Amino acid sequence: MSELTEWAYPLAESLLAEPLPRRWAHCLGVAERARTIAPVLGQDAELLEAAAVLHDIGYSPDLAKTGFHPLDGARYLRDAADAEPRVVNLVAHHSCAWMEAEARGLREELEKEFPREAAHLNDALCYCDMNTTPDGTPTNPVDRVNEIAGRYGPDSLIGTFIRRAEPEILACTSRVLDQVAAAKRQPI
Ligand SMILES: [Fe+2]
């Protein structure tokens, strides 16, 4: 484990494990998924794993303020946890957050406060999140989006957001899987 992941796991655990054990299991699963694509991330593998385990801390009752979890989580990391800015920015923008932010009237706030990291890193985090069930087991993005829409209701804010985000979620997944396949083809 690197310094970054050694810091990230206990922090996420302290915020999620007790109040939201299922969400904690999900975050551990997303981090596990991040480790499986480490070969395509190179020196950013640990950055991605840290962001993965922390990505949903904004749901923690201790720090939920606006009710929009990517923004609440990123603000906490920036203001209270003195986190590395790249981790903060990945959490702020995870899994097409801008689209949900737009539906909540928070897009400008989100984008003003948190710059976007490189596209391949946002893709990687979206892939990890959208290929992991709420219980932390592996899934595929089609089932994942259907599960979210079903859980919140198709006409809810999140149900509408996730359907709008679906093409981008599927595109993220195929971009990441293409990179994984290309890395496997490379001669040693
Ligand atoms: Fe999330």
Side-chain angles (χ1 to χ4, degrees):
M1 265 205 193
S2 69
E3 219 175 286
L4 195 55
T5 46
E6 265 173 32
W7 160 83
Y9 277 87
L11 176 60
E13 185 175 17
S14 71
L15 292 163
L16 292 173
E18 206 184 300
L20 301 169
R22 195 177 185 216
R23 192 69 70 176
W24 172 230
H26 167 71
C27 288
L28 283 175
V30 176
E32 202 177 309
R33 206 74 174 167
R35 286 199 296 277
T36 69
I37 56 163
V40 300
L41 295 166
Q43 58 187 19
D44 289 329
E46 258 125 26
L47 167 73
L48 212 279
E49 187 179 347
V53 80
L54 289 164
H55 79 286
D56 272 349
I57 58 167
Y59 284 113
S60 171
D62 289 351
L63 55 100
K65 297 272 184 326
T66 67
F68 176 46
H69 77 278
L71 188 60
D72 289 337
R75 282 178 173 165
Y76 173 86
L77 287 171
R78 180 193 62 193
D79 300 336
D82 197 24
E84 181 179 317
R86 298 177 78 199
V87 175
V88 178
N89 296 335
L90 285 169
V91 169
H93 290 284
H94 80 261
S95 305
C96 306
W98 70 268
M99 286 192 208
E100 188 182 334
E102 197 165 80
R104 293 177 182 274
L106 291 169
R107 184 174 175 186
E108 217 185 292
E109 223 167 304
L110 179 74
E111 294 190 339
K112 217 163 50 187
E113 283 183 46
F114 302 103
R116 224 177 276 262
E117 291 300 322
H120 75 284
L121 294 175
N122 285 308
D123 275 0
L125 185 52
C126 182
Y127 163 82
C128 294
D129 189 10
M130 291 298 142
N131 283 271
T132 304
T133 65
D135 296 307
T137 55
T139 185
N140 64 77
V142 173
D143 288 350
R144 176 81 160 111
V145 167
N146 287 338
E147 189 280 326
I148 294 170
R151 176 156 39 106
Y152 288 93
D155 299 325
S156 65
L157 186 144
I158 295 192
T160 311
F161 146 67
I162 206 72
R163 280 291 167 223
R164 186 179 164 215
E166 188 172 16
E168 181 52 22
I169 290 167
L170 298 180
C172 277
T173 295
S174 45
R175 285 192 291 267
V176 171
L177 291 176
D178 283 351
Q179 288 165 15
V180 170
K184 278 190 185 144
R185 278 197 304 271
Q186 256 167 28
I188 300 162

